[in-house]
Amino acid sequence: MAKKSGKQIIFVCTGNTCRSPMAEMLLKAALDIAKMKGFAVSSAGIAAQKGDVINPKSAQVLAEHGLDATDFSSTLLTGKMLKEAFAVICMTERHKDILLDMRWQALRKANEIGEEEIENNIYSFADLTGYEVPDPYGRDIDCYRYVYALLASGMGSVVAAGAASAVVSSEAPVSAQETAAHKSITQA
């Protein structure tokens, strides 16, 4: 994955073909609508096959909402990505547990663990919204639509949490732009 400018926010699921690509596209749209700059949004999977395309059902649901996933290509999450990211948002608590261990191992390997606590940059979707996002893989299109709806309705919370210092910006209060982004995403 090429280094992107801005604070890197990475959405993570298992295969990086269903949930995390939808979340990536939704946050990019929310930030664009809110005209919020300085962030680079991507997605990855803990068991992704590099170069896989987005699941056709995820692509269909995104297209139904005017989002194009034609050029999407899956990415395997690495320890380096975890270390360099401003925020990593995973779909379930299980993913979060795996990522916390993976990040600790990467920091330990790089001898970057000191006596002081290292700032956490890993969040589950439930940390920010109160609910996990189930895996729709292998299910019918309505399940993908349901997952999209969960992601879309939670995206405002992701933006708002960021404004409160967890994800998007540790410096800015919730603005009218963020409120507008929340409304536009949840009404999509």
Side-chain angles (χ1 to χ4, degrees), residues 42-116:
S42 63
S43 62
I46 59 173
Q49 297 296 315
K50 185 177 179 181
D52 276 357
V53 297
I54 192 168
N55 183 290
K57 293 175 185 171
S58 288
Q60 178 182 336
V61 172
L62 287 167
E64 290 170 1
H65 295 277
L67 299 170
D68 181 17
T70 305
D71 296 329
F72 180 82
S73 178
S74 65
T75 301
L76 178 64
L77 186 70
T78 65
K80 181 178 180 186
M81 291 166 66
L82 281 175
K83 283 176 28 185
E84 294 176 356
F86 176 68
V88 178
I89 305 169
C90 48
M91 299 294 118
T92 67
E93 289 296 317
R94 182 175 169 270
H95 288 129
K96 181 180 175 182
D97 290 343
I98 292 167
L99 297 183
L100 287 170
D101 185 58
M102 184 178 172
R103 181 172 183 270
W104 185 84
Q105 293 293 338
L107 291 171
R108 191 177 98 159
K109 183 177 178 182
N111 292 318
E112 293 180 15
I113 295 181
E115 293 180 15
E116 295 184 21

Side-chain angles (χ1 to χ4, degrees), residues 90-93 124-134 146-158 186:
C90 48
M91 299 294 118
T92 67
E93 289 296 317
S124 70
F125 207 75
D127 290 337
L128 304 172
T129 65
Y131 56 87
E132 293 188 344
V133 181
Y146 173 72
V147 166
Y148 176 91
L150 288 175
L151 290 166
S153 66
M155 210 49 63
S157 295
V158 171
T186 58

